């Protein structure tokens, strides 16, 4: 056989046993020359990947800690950072937040259930964990380091997500580009104790679990991964009002799957994914109860529209007089009609509100 070409970085793990057996059988000097290189590649490839990943995380740490001396261990960057720091101190000192935050919307105050305070809860939780090992730490210092810690934790998840989709080389390149992007580096630097770093972690996590569920072969694993993705997406909705931007791509993928296959298992998987999100939006905060707010209305429409259309479609198919009709056998035509009807109804409701 001819010598394989490794210049393009192809994955050779699947035919490695065949290569080794051919080298031993032929006893060719030409092939045995590159046999040690093949063994070296298999033995140290994982170690090299880990070293590159650690190097990227160290670079991210250096960039994000560059402004730490200017903060003097107590000054956050921005008014929202100061608010989350104040709320975290109240959680640590009093065990929770008051029902009305009198320091917002003075003199009336603002109800706490109408605010997304998960970021303050995360800062308080980090403080309680670190305080067990380092009692001299303060909430202010934890708040300053919180975005750096969370952004570094999101790095490996982002790497695993891109690696599963595009491969190891692209994942390492994407990770380094993510860490050095000026908008990301600024909003995840030390002192920027807002929800941006936590949003990155939750967004990468929910996408990773969704991709794992989409690629899983076992139906049980698919249900588990989809449920985890929905739970993390619900946490993202309790962190950031712009969760619709993360909901839209996944809902579009599910909608395309519905147009192509329309299988009952896919509908059950979507329910496993959407149910935790709806419970988080409706049960824990009243933020998404105000349908006059655009972000709340858009999020609920995105989640409920596929469920509504599929339920109507299944109901129509269960009627014998409609099921035998040739017109209703074309699910693309039915789905388009139902989509138009649903969008028209929801649009009228929005204009009425």
């Amino acid at each position: 056989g001819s010598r394989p070409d490794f210049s393009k970085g192809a994955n050779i793990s699947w035919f490695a046993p065949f290569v080794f057996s051919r080298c031993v059988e032929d006893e060719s000097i030409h092939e045995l020359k590159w046999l040690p290189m093949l063994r070296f590649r298999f033995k140290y490839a994982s170690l090299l990947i880990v070293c590159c990943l650690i190097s990227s995380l160290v670079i991210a740490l250096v960039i994000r800690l560059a402004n730490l001396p200017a903060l003097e261990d107590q000054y956050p960057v921005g008014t929202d950072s100061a608010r989350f720091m104040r709320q975290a101190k109240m959680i640590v000192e009093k065990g929770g937040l008051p029902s009305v935050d009198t320091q917002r919307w003075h003199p009336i105050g603002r109800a706490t259930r109408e605010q997304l305070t998960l970021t303050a809860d995360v800062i308080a939780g980090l403080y309680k964990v670190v305080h067990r090992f380092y009692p001299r730490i303060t909430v202010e210092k934890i708040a300053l380091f919180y975005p750096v810690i969370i952004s570094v934790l999101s790095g490996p998840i982002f790497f695993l997500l891109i690696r599963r989709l595009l491969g190891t080389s692209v994942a390492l390149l994407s990770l380094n580009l993510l860490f050095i992007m000026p908008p990301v580096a600024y909003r995840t630097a030390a002192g920027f104790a807002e929800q941006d770093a936590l949003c990155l972690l939750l967004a990468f996590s929910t996408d990773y679990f969704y991709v794992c569920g989409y690629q899983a072969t076992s139906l049980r694993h698919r249900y588990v991964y989809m449920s985890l993705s929905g739970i993390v997406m619900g946490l993202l909705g309790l962190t950031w009002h712009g969760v619709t931007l993360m909901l839209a791509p996944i809902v579009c993928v599910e909608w395309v799957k519905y147009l192509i296959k329309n299988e009952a298992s896919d509908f059950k998987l979507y329910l496993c994914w959407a149910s935790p999100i709806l419970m988080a939006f409706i049960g824990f905060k009243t933020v998404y109860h105000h349908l006059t707010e655009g972000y709340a209305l858009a999020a609920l429409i995105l989640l409920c529209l596929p469920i509504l259309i599929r339920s109507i479609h299944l109901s129509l198919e269960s009627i014998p007089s409609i099921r035998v009709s040739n017109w209703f056998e074309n699910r693309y035509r039915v789905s388009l009609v139902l989509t138009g009807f649903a969008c028209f109804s929801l649009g009228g409701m929005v204009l009425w509100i």
Side-chain angles (χ1 to χ4, degrees):
S2 59
R3 177 180 177 180
D5 181 17
F6 299 109
S7 60
K8 297 181 180 180
N11 186 3
I12 61 175
S13 59
W14 62 276
F15 64 90
F18 173 77
V19 170
F20 284 117
S21 62
R22 286 293 303 275
C23 291
V24 174
E25 291 175 0
D26 296 346
E27 295 181 357
S28 171
I29 298 177
H30 177 70
E31 292 183 351
L32 289 177
K33 286 182 179 179
W34 55 270
L35 183 58
M37 181 196 70
L38 189 62
R39 290 175 177 170
F40 178 84
R41 174 169 180 167
F42 288 130
K43 186 176 181 180
Y44 296 102
S46 299
L47 180 60
L48 181 61
I49 293 172
V50 173
C51 291
C52 292
L53 182 60
I54 294 175
S55 301
S56 301
L57 297 178
V58 171
I59 294 173
L61 278 174
V62 173
I63 294 175
R64 283 153 179 76
L65 293 176
N67 65 333
L68 191 59
L71 302 177
E72 299 182 4
D73 292 340
Q74 57 179 336
Y75 299 115
V77 179
T79 56
D80 287 339
S81 300
R83 172 168 58 89
F84 285 123
M85 180 186 294
R86 174 177 59 83
Q87 291 177 343
K89 289 184 64 176
M90 295 176 66
I91 294 174
V92 171
E93 296 173 356
K94 301 180 180 180
L97 295 173
S99 58
V100 177
D101 189 354
T102 56
Q103 296 192 30
R104 301 196 68 188
W105 293 4
H106 184 78
I108 302 174
R110 187 178 184 184
T112 304
R113 286 183 58 85
E114 296 181 357
Q115 305 179 50
L116 300 179
T117 58
L118 186 60
T119 303
D121 294 328
V122 171
I123 296 174
L126 285 175
Y127 168 79
K128 293 178 181 179
V129 172
V130 177
H131 183 72
R132 291 179 178 270
F133 305 97
Y134 187 61
R136 298 178 58 184
I137 197 71
T138 61
V139 179
E140 290 81 0
K141 187 171 293 186
I142 288 294
L144 298 182
F145 282 98
Y146 140 80
V148 181
I149 297 173
I150 298 298
S151 62
V152 171
L153 291 177
S154 64
I157 300 177
F158 179 77
F159 170 80
L160 293 175
L161 171 63
I162 303 301
R163 185 186 184 186
R164 181 174 284 269
L165 293 174
L166 301 173
T168 304
S169 301
V170 179
L172 286 173
L173 178 61
S174 303
L175 181 63
N176 286 278
L177 291 177
L178 174 71
F179 278 151
I180 65 175
M181 286 179 61
V184 177
Y186 166 68
R187 301 189 74 86
T188 57
F192 205 92
E194 296 189 16
Q195 68 270 22
D196 300 74
L198 186 59
C199 288
L200 285 180
L201 176 63
L202 296 176
F204 296 154
S205 300
T206 188
D207 288 343
Y208 176 73
F209 288 133
Y210 180 82
V211 171
C212 290
Y214 186 83
Q215 296 177 347
T217 56
S218 172
L219 188 60
R220 181 186 302 176
H221 292 167
R222 296 185 70 183
Y223 280 120
V224 171
Y225 282 124
M226 286 297 180
S227 300
L228 289 175
S229 177
I231 292 172
V232 178
M233 184 68 79
L235 294 177
L236 179 59
L238 298 177
T239 306
W240 183 39
H241 296 89
V243 67
T244 308
L245 299 177
M246 299 303 303
L247 288 172
I250 297 180
V251 173
C252 290
V253 170
E254 292 295 324
W255 182 244
V256 172
K257 288 168 60 180
Y258 164 66
L259 291 177
I260 295 175
K261 295 188 297 183
N262 190 22
E263 296 182 356
S265 60
D266 291 336
F267 184 43
K268 295 178 182 177
L269 287 171
Y270 180 79
L271 290 178
C272 286
W273 178 78
S275 298
I277 305 175
L278 289 174
M279 287 189 292
F281 287 1
I282 299 175
F284 291 94
K285 292 287 184 179
T286 61
V287 176
Y288 295 95
H289 296 180
H290 305 292
L291 296 182
T292 54
E293 300 290 343
Y295 61 87
L297 185 63
L300 294 178
I301 286 177
L302 274 176
L303 286 173
C304 297
L305 186 61
I307 299 176
L308 175 63
I309 294 176
R310 289 192 179 192
S311 300
I312 296 175
H313 195 180
L314 292 175
S315 301
L316 293 176
E317 287 182 343
S318 64
I319 302 176
S321 59
I322 294 179
R323 185 172 53 193
V324 298
S325 175
N326 293 329
W327 192 88
F328 277 93
E329 289 182 357
N330 189 340
R331 64 171 179 270
Y332 300 102
R333 191 179 301 170
V334 174
S335 61
L336 289 176
V337 171
L338 293 178
T339 303
F341 173 76
C343 292
F344 178 79
S345 303
L346 293 172
M349 183 180 68
V350 172
L351 292 178
W352 178 77
I353 293 176

